[in-house]
Amino acid sequence: MIRAPGWRRGGKRMARHYSETDVVAILDDLDPARLRSFVAAHVVTPVVTPQGHAFTEADVARLQLLCDLSDVYDLPNDVLVMVMSLIDQLNTARGDMRALIQAVATEPDDVRGRIITHVRNVRVIVRD
Amino acid sequence: MAGDPYAALGLTKSATDAEIKKAYRKIAKADHPDLNPDPAATARFKAASAAYDLLRDAEQRRRFDAGEIDAQGQERPQRRPWRDHAEAAGNPYARSYGFDGDPDLSGVFSDLFGRRGGGFGGFGRGAEDPRDFHVRGQDYRFSLEVDFLTAARGGKTRITLPEGGDLEVAIPKGVRDGQTIRLKGKGGQGLGQGGSGDAYLTVAIAPHPDFRREGDDIHLTLPISLPEAVLGGKVAAPTIDGPVNLTIPRGATTGQKLRLRGRGVNGGDQQVELKVVMPPRVDEDLARFMEGWRKDHPYDPRAGMEAGG
C-alpha cells in the first residue's frame, strides 16, 4: 500500500492523497507532461493543499480513463474535454437516477403505482 | 487472467507487437467499462488489459513465452473504474445535465439534487443572449484541504491554483467540511464584456490528532494522572485557542465529561472526556499502599453490571 502524504490515521476517513510524482509512478501511461496537459485542459482538477497539488483515489481512476481514451482513440485534448463532459453528465445522471429509483422502491404500493403509471405514459410507447 | 493471454486478445503466440497493440485497442474501444455498461464487456476488457500489460513489455513477453513466468503472476491489482467513483455522491466532477434551465422542473430538480457546475466550456448559463458574444468565463471548482485548527479559528492559507498563480485565501472562522468558498473573478476569462468566472473551493477539513469537531463543539479526550484523578486539582487542557486551566473534581474517573463553556467554535463549547492514565511503572510504594488500602476499603466497580461479574 502506498502511504502518500495527506493520508491520515484514525477518526474521520480522509481521502488518501497522491502527489504528482505518485500518480505518474502508479499509471504506466502517464508522464508529467501529459498530467500537466490534463490539468491545463481542466479534465482533472487536483486538490489544492497548502503543500501543493494532490490527487485523490478517484482522480487516479479518472486519470487512467483519460489515458485510455487518449491512447485508444488518439483523442486530442479538446475532444477529450468534450467526451469527459458527456461522460460526467451521464455518470451524474446515473447516480441521480439510482438515488431516485432507490427512493421509489421504498415507497408504498399506491405511490409506486402512481409513479409507474405516470412514467409509462410519458416514456413507454406501447404498440398494438 | 485465467489462461492464455494471447487468447484473451484473440491472437496466437506468433502475433507481432503491433498486432498485440491493435488487438488490445480494438477490445478497449468496444468494451471499456467506462463506455460500455455490459458486465460481459467489462470481463473481456479486464482479461485483455491484463494480457496487454504482460505482453506489451518485450522482456516480460519473452520470459512468459519461455515459461519462466506465468500469466497469473503478472496480474496487477484491479483499480475501481472511474464510473464507480463518478456515480458516488460528492463527486467533484458531477455536472449539470440539463434540468437547471428547465422552467417547469428546475425547482424540483435542485430541491432533490442541488446545483452543480455547468456544461463544458462554461456556456449554458441561459440568461445571456447568444448573439451579443458577451459570455461570462467558466467557473472553476476545486477541493481545498484545510487543517483542523485553521478551519476552527479562521485564518489565511496560500494556495497554488491548478491554473498556476499563487493566491491567498481567507478561511472563514468555523468553516465546515463540504462548505464552499467563492473566489470572485478567479475562474476562466470571459468573452467580450462577459467578465471572468469565479473559482469555487470546496473545503475538506483534515482531521486533528487530538481534537474532534461536532458542529460548533470541540471534543477532546484528556489524559490525567492517578493522583489528579484521586485528589482533583487544576490541569492545563488544550483548546483550539491555547491551553486553559481546567478543574478536575476529586475522585474523577475515566469517561467523565467536563464542559469548557464557550471554548468551541463560534461560541460552542469544548467537551473534555477524562481518561485516567496509570503511571508507567507500578513501583513498590504504590503497590504497598494499595495492598494496605484494599484491605479496609473494598469496593466493586462491577456491581451494577447486568451481565454479571
Side-chain angles (χ1 to χ4, degrees):
Chain A
M1 186 174 88
I2 299 159
R3 258 199 175 197
W7 191 89
R8 293 211 168 65
R9 73 193 156 83
K12 200 183 68 168
R13 230 191 84 222
M14 195 75 196
R16 216 191 310 161
H17 287 168
Y18 300 92
S19 70
E20 292 177 7
T21 322
D22 293 335
V23 285
V24 169
I26 292 167
L27 300 173
D28 284 346
D29 301 316
L30 191 68
D31 60 33
R34 183 178 242 187
L35 178 60
R36 278 194 293 275
S37 82
F38 287 157
V39 172
H42 292 287
V43 280
V44 65
T45 42
V47 179
V48 180
T49 76
Q51 292 81 40
H53 291 170
F55 297 88
T56 62
E57 195 84 49
D59 289 328
V60 175
R62 188 175 173 91
L63 284 164
Q64 175 68 66
L65 173 60
L66 291 168
C67 291
D68 289 348
L69 289 173
S70 308
D71 290 340
V72 172
Y73 289 97
D74 292 320
L75 287 191
N77 272 1
D78 56 344
V79 182
L80 192 62
V81 171
M82 185 269 288
V83 170
M84 286 310 290
S85 168
L86 294 176
I87 289 178
D88 287 338
Q89 290 176 48
L90 178 63
N91 282 323
T92 310
R94 202 149 35 192
D96 288 352
M97 189 61 134
R98 190 184 297 282
L100 262 183
I101 290 173
Q102 281 164 351
V104 170
T106 59
E107 287 299 317
D109 287 351
D110 60 325
V111 178
R112 285 214 318 275
R114 284 206 299 278
I115 294 172
I116 291 166
T117 307
H118 178 86
V119 172
R120 290 218 169 154
N121 282 340
V122 176
R123 296 295 294 169
V124 183
I125 299 168
V126 183
R127 290 198 177 81
D128 294 322
Chain B
M1 170 183 24
D4 179 5
Y6 293 101
L9 294 167
L11 299 169
T12 60
K13 238 178 169 177
S14 61
T16 64
D17 288 348
E19 283 167 344
I20 288 172
K21 191 171 183 176
K22 198 176 155 200
Y24 166 71
R25 287 189 172 199
K26 195 175 160 209
I27 292 170
K29 274 184 186 175
D31 296 335
H32 197 291
D34 275 300
L35 307 174
N36 186 342
D38 179 6
T42 301
R44 284 194 297 271
F45 176 77
K46 274 187 180 170
S49 52
Y52 182 60
D53 275 345
L54 173 70
L55 300 178
R56 71 196 290 194
D57 181 284
E59 172 61 13
Q60 274 191 29
R61 186 181 173 192
R62 186 198 64 71
R63 293 181 62 197
F64 175 78
D65 289 346
E68 292 170 23
I69 53 172
D70 61 12
Q72 210 67 42
Q74 294 308 308
E75 220 172 318
R76 280 195 297 175
Q78 289 289 342
R79 275 183 296 274
R80 288 169 73 198
W82 164 243
R83 190 182 140 180
D84 289 358
H85 293 281
E87 274 192 36
N91 163 32
Y93 301 96
R95 278 188 176 275
S96 151
Y97 51 93
F99 285 99
D100 304 62
D102 187 302
D104 296 330
L105 299 177
S106 62
V108 181
F109 191 83
S110 60
D111 282 351
L112 279 169
F113 303 117
R115 296 199 152 272
R116 298 194 176 104
F120 87 108
F123 297 94
R125 211 163 292 277
E128 291 100 346
D129 184 340
R131 285 164 300 184
D132 63 13
F133 289 100
H134 297 309
V135 182
R136 199 171 154 271
Q138 191 181 357
D139 291 336
Y140 293 156
R141 278 158 209 280
F142 309 108
S143 296
L144 172 67
E145 195 187 89
V146 179
D147 73 78
F148 185 93
L149 288 177
T150 306
R153 295 193 298 227
K156 291 188 187 312
T157 184
R158 270 207 97 71
I159 60 168
T160 310
L161 287 175
E163 294 302 281
D166 249 25
L167 196 64
E168 193 167 69
V169 181
I171 309 293
K173 184 178 176 182
V175 69
R176 285 166 205 263
D177 208 49
Q179 273 188 333
T180 303
I181 297 173
R182 175 169 171 233
L183 303 177
K184 209 165 180 311
K186 298 296 180 187
Q189 284 203 332
L191 290 177
Q193 290 152 28
S196 295
D198 302 331
Y200 291 89
L201 306 174
T202 304
V203 171
I205 299 175
H208 191 277
D210 302 319
F211 295 119
R212 272 181 313 113
R213 190 164 144 197
E214 279 173 29
D216 287 335
D217 286 354
I218 299 286
H219 291 249
L220 172 81
T221 300
L222 185 69
I224 55 173
S225 72
L226 193 55
E228 283 163 352
V230 173
L231 305 171
K234 280 194 188 305
V235 302
T239 73
I240 54 170
D241 296 310
V244 300
N245 276 333
L246 177 67
T247 305
I248 309 289
R250 196 177 164 101
T253 189
T254 293
Q256 192 170 346
K257 285 182 180 145
L258 302 174
R259 180 196 299 264
L260 287 166
R261 214 170 276 284
R263 296 289 181 173
V265 182
N266 286 333
D269 302 332
Q270 176 165 315
Q271 311 271 5
V272 178
E273 184 173 335
L274 301 177
K275 182 178 156 198
V276 180
V277 176
M278 292 296 287
R281 199 174 63 81
V282 175
D283 58 24
E284 275 305 308
D285 285 355
L286 183 58
R288 200 178 318 114
F289 170 76
M290 277 296 165
E291 276 164 13
W293 188 86
R294 179 168 63 176
K295 270 186 222 138
D296 308 324
H297 304 81
Y299 75 108
D300 184 2
R302 293 174 292 283
M305 287 180 83
E306 287 194 17

